[in-house]
Amino acid sequence: MTQPLVDALRLRPLTRPPVWIMRQAGRYLPEYRELRARHSFQHAVSTPEIAAEITLQPVRRFGMDGAVIFADIMTPLQAMGVEIIFDPGPKLRPHTLREVLELPDLDTERVGFVAETIRRVETEVPSETAVIGFAGAPVTLLAYLLEGGGSKDFLAMRAALRVDPTAAASALEKLARAMRSYLGMQVEAGAHVVQLFDTWAGLLDLATFERLAVPAARASLAGLAAPTIYFAPGSVHTLDLQAKVGATGYSVDWRTPIVEAWARLGEVAVQGNLDPAVLLTDPTTISLEVKALLSRVAGRPGHIMNLGHGIDQHTPPENVAEFVEAVRA
Ligand code: 1CP
């Protein structure tokens, strides 16, 4: 049994695009908040029974075509010995490049709970629902490691890449090896698709993106036995280069018209790209925006319906229902 999400990634013709939402398991859902009131984020992620339940919540409620595993991009770094707390975003001691180079390799047994969550979700979702694994891309992980947490411009990372480009390249290679084995573990456990989140790569200038971010992302995905999606929001300037990552499909944010982004990416699947703000409006607007996007895509094989970035935590669940319905209609 193949899944529409996998079919779309393989550019097979479909009667409607598959649909899922980045960050679909999370704070906008009352049933998530109810569980989180009783368990810390860390406990929820590392307990397969709870993580699988959170993964399934949006799929049960809205019937998406993909179930994205509940974990965080920082989860495998914790398994490499980095101390991180979630409040709500990741907070850690700012690391130097040298400290990143000295991190141990990832022992996937230490993230075995993610594999177990995948196995549980895989047995519980309908067979046509794709289980989506994920990892953070090396540049994005390095950004959090060097900065010590979230930032709007990650200047520590951008400076470090310039001060010592050779050490930076080695640190990125190290993180790429870790993410490749982490994603390999997820595919072996039953993930049908994996997505690489490069949330902060768009902060890089074109030359640095090409020299450092592309090879690191490419190495993280190379040779995986499942279709892959690369997502670098805020990256209009890098669209022409992204195909060098070698992913099966590319997720694009809302800033660029999807048809223009597609032309620059080439003959690959494209995911997106409704502005998450649309889901903060009303059912009529959502339905019109979905129709407009689908008419721009005009049935081209390889389209996966999604937002241009993660869902906002203040999104009313009824609006998510309307979004999924509008794609189905
Ligand atoms: O549907 C899902 O929620 C799937 C699981 C998931 C994913 C794919 C979570 C759970 N996080 C992520 C990815 C992630 N984490 C990204 C890439 C995606 C994107 O660009 O939106 C990033 C940048 C992070 C880092 C992170 N973790 C943040 C961002 C804020 C910052 O300071 O830069 C936050 C808020 C977290 C915590 C977190 N991770 C996930 C959830 C549901 C939460 C909120 C935890 C809570 O309070 O309940």
Side-chain angles (χ1 to χ4, degrees):
M1 177 79 185
T2 70
Q3 297 88 14
L5 183 58
V6 171
D7 287 337
L9 282 161
R10 300 289 184 216
L11 305 180
R12 294 178 189 131
L14 293 165
T15 50
R16 62 155 183 90
V19 54
W20 68 285
I21 297 179
M22 287 188 271
R23 310 290 294 264
Q24 67 191 20
R27 290 177 284 181
Y28 73 101
L29 276 180
E31 55 269 38
Y32 172 80
R33 290 198 301 269
E34 197 273 314
L35 261 180
R36 278 280 286 103
R38 289 185 282 127
H39 306 286
S40 69
F41 180 75
Q42 189 57 51
H43 179 73
V45 165
S46 56
T47 310
E49 191 189 341
I50 304 173
E53 171 57 26
I54 294 174
T55 301
L56 292 166
Q57 284 175 346
V59 181
R60 266 194 219 115
R61 205 194 243 256
F62 309 111
M64 281 89 167
D65 296 297
V68 60
I69 293 301
F70 184 73
D72 194 74
I73 58 168
M74 303 302 278
T75 302
L77 297 183
Q78 293 178 298
M80 291 163 79
V82 180
E83 271 183 49
I84 301 168
I85 57 157
F86 290 91
D87 177 29
K91 306 261 181 318
L92 56 152
R93 179 175 62 78
H95 285 56
T96 61
L97 264 185
R98 184 139 308 282
E99 287 173 318
V100 175
L101 283 167
E102 283 163 5
L103 289 177
D105 286 336
L106 174 69
D107 171 0
T108 54
E109 276 180 27
R110 299 194 60 188
V111 273
F113 54 86
V114 174
E116 179 56 23
T117 300
I118 290 173
R119 285 191 285 271
R120 281 173 183 249
V121 169
E122 213 268 328
T123 57
E124 290 200 34
V125 289
S127 57
E128 64 277 13
T129 308
V131 177
I132 306 168
F134 72 90
V139 160
T140 291
L141 296 177
L142 189 66
Y144 283 104
L145 281 165
L146 300 183
E147 196 77 40
S151 156
K152 79 178 181 337
D153 42 26
F154 287 95
L155 284 162
M157 179 267 286
R158 285 153 62 196
L161 298 192
R162 291 183 191 278
V163 171
D164 195 343
T166 313
S170 307
L172 292 169
E173 273 164 36
K174 153 154 246 151
L175 293 168
R177 264 201 315 283
M179 292 313 111
R180 174 60 183 77
S181 62
Y182 181 53
L183 290 170
M185 175 198 79
Q186 295 183 49
V187 173
E188 258 177 55
H192 302 109
V193 171
V194 296
Q195 177 156 321
L196 194 68
F197 285 93
D198 215 347
T199 307
W200 303 112
L203 292 173
L204 301 179
D205 62 274
L206 203 54
T208 309
F209 178 82
E210 182 167 29
R211 190 163 42 79
L212 294 173
V214 169
R218 189 178 179 86
S220 307
L221 298 175
L224 286 169
T228 59
I229 302 170
Y230 177 71
F231 175 51
S235 298
V236 174
H237 62 303
T238 70
L239 278 171
D240 306 279
L241 286 175
Q242 286 189 30
K244 292 190 177 183
V245 168
T248 319
Y250 294 82
S251 199
V252 296
D253 77 16
W254 66 94
R255 294 171 179 87
T256 315
I258 194 160
V259 176
E260 184 193 322
W262 212 326
R264 291 171 60 189
L265 286 161
E267 285 304 308
V268 289
V270 167
Q271 173 172 280
N273 69 342
L274 203 70
D275 185 342
V278 171
L279 294 198
L280 298 173
T281 63
D282 55 84
T284 311
T285 308
I286 293 166
S287 158
L288 286 171
E289 292 269 0
V290 167
K291 277 189 196 137
L293 175 51
L294 292 178
S295 78
R296 286 193 286 275
V297 172
R300 179 170 169 173
H303 179 224
I304 298 159
M305 191 61 153
N306 206 316
L307 303 181
H309 203 160
I311 187 169
D312 183 81
Q313 61 165 307
H314 301 108
T315 304
E318 329 57 282
N319 286 358
V320 175
E322 179 59 35
F323 170 68
V324 175
E325 282 309 304
V327 181
R328 296 259 148 86

